[in-house]
Amino acid sequence: MVIPDPRYEAREGVARTVQHSRTARAAIRLLLTRGILPRVARSRPTESPWAEVTFSHGATSGRWFNTYARHGHSIRFNLLPLGMVPGILAAVGATPDSEDAVFHDPADYQGDAARWLDEQTAGLLGAVDSRPLPGYDEDASDTPTYTSELSGRWQVDGVAHLELSGPGMTAVCNLEILHLSEAAAHAAITAYAGLVSTS
């Protein structure tokens, strides 16, 4: 039986608090330098520790959440322009999971947006689901479809899930990246902030 050490638990609590504030400060600095005003929320002392940074720029909104567990960071972008996706994903990592890569087939991708993402992300994102092309009857058996959802994971850090609003290059995306280390989350937010300043 392990006997709890109050001094160890107190030190752990202080370390979590320091990390807690560091994550929020880093996000605020990164986003403010690009003219994006973030909002920060934190857990109460009686709760398990977490921090949340929400932000928006143009039509895009985002959320960076940290549970302080190992690989406990997650990031979600809503209505993200298609052209920003490859840069954000590349910042997280360059090596797709080797098990997923075995099943990669370019023929699975329907629509210009999905094919372009496949080319730009070196096969990271696999086709997961499809929808009928806009304007076509959803119930007809011969309705043409486009790839509407893609998903993938990296060898080291993270899982990405992406939803496309349409088949063409004007599509916007909802992008969620889960199970990230603090470094990978910082890299993704830094990439987004840099892309915002050049768009």
Side-chain angles (χ1 to χ4, degrees):
M1 184 171 122
V2 177
I3 299 171
D5 180 352
R7 288 176 298 177
Y8 174 79
E9 289 178 3
R11 283 194 305 272
E12 284 292 299
V14 169
R16 279 195 303 270
T17 302
V18 169
Q19 183 186 31
H20 202 90
S21 58
R22 184 181 69 210
T23 299
R25 280 196 312 270
I28 290 167
R29 266 196 315 274
L30 286 169
L31 296 168
L32 282 175
T33 58
R34 301 302 194 261
I36 302 168
L37 184 62
R39 288 193 313 253
V40 179
R42 295 182 180 93
S43 58
R44 296 186 180 100
T46 56
E47 300 176 321
S48 296
W50 57 265
E52 178 185 64
V53 178
T54 55
F55 51 91
S56 61
H57 183 266
T60 303
S61 62
R63 174 182 182 259
W64 177 8
F65 191 73
N66 182 9
T67 62
Y68 299 105
R70 185 172 183 268
H71 298 280
H73 292 258
S74 63
I75 299 172
R76 179 171 177 87
F77 297 97
N78 294 315
L79 303 179
L80 182 70
L82 180 66
M84 291 186 174
V85 173
I88 293 169
L89 295 179
V92 173
T95 311
D97 184 82
S98 55
E99 290 179 18
D100 289 352
V102 171
F103 300 102
H104 178 256
D105 183 355
D108 291 340
Y109 301 86
Q110 301 169 317
D112 291 341
R115 283 191 290 272
W116 182 80
L117 280 172
D118 179 46
E119 292 167 7
Q120 296 297 310
T121 61
L124 168 68
L125 298 172
V128 176
D129 201 2
S130 59
R131 288 188 192 138
L133 285 172
Y136 284 85
D137 181 7
E138 292 185 22
D139 299 324
S141 60
D142 59 346
T143 297
T145 60
Y146 73 95
T147 301
S148 58
E149 292 185 36
L150 301 101
S151 185
R153 54 190 174 147
W154 290 269
Q155 222 161 350
V156 177
D157 252 345
V159 175
H161 184 78
L162 183 138
E163 300 172 8
L164 285 168
S165 66
M169 295 301 291
T170 57
V172 292
C173 315
N174 292 335
L175 172 63
E176 188 167 28
I177 313 172
L178 306 169
H179 310 300
L180 293 173
S181 66
E182 184 173 1
H186 275 265
I189 292 291
T190 301
Y192 168 72
L195 290 164
V196 162
S197 68
T198 59
S199 63

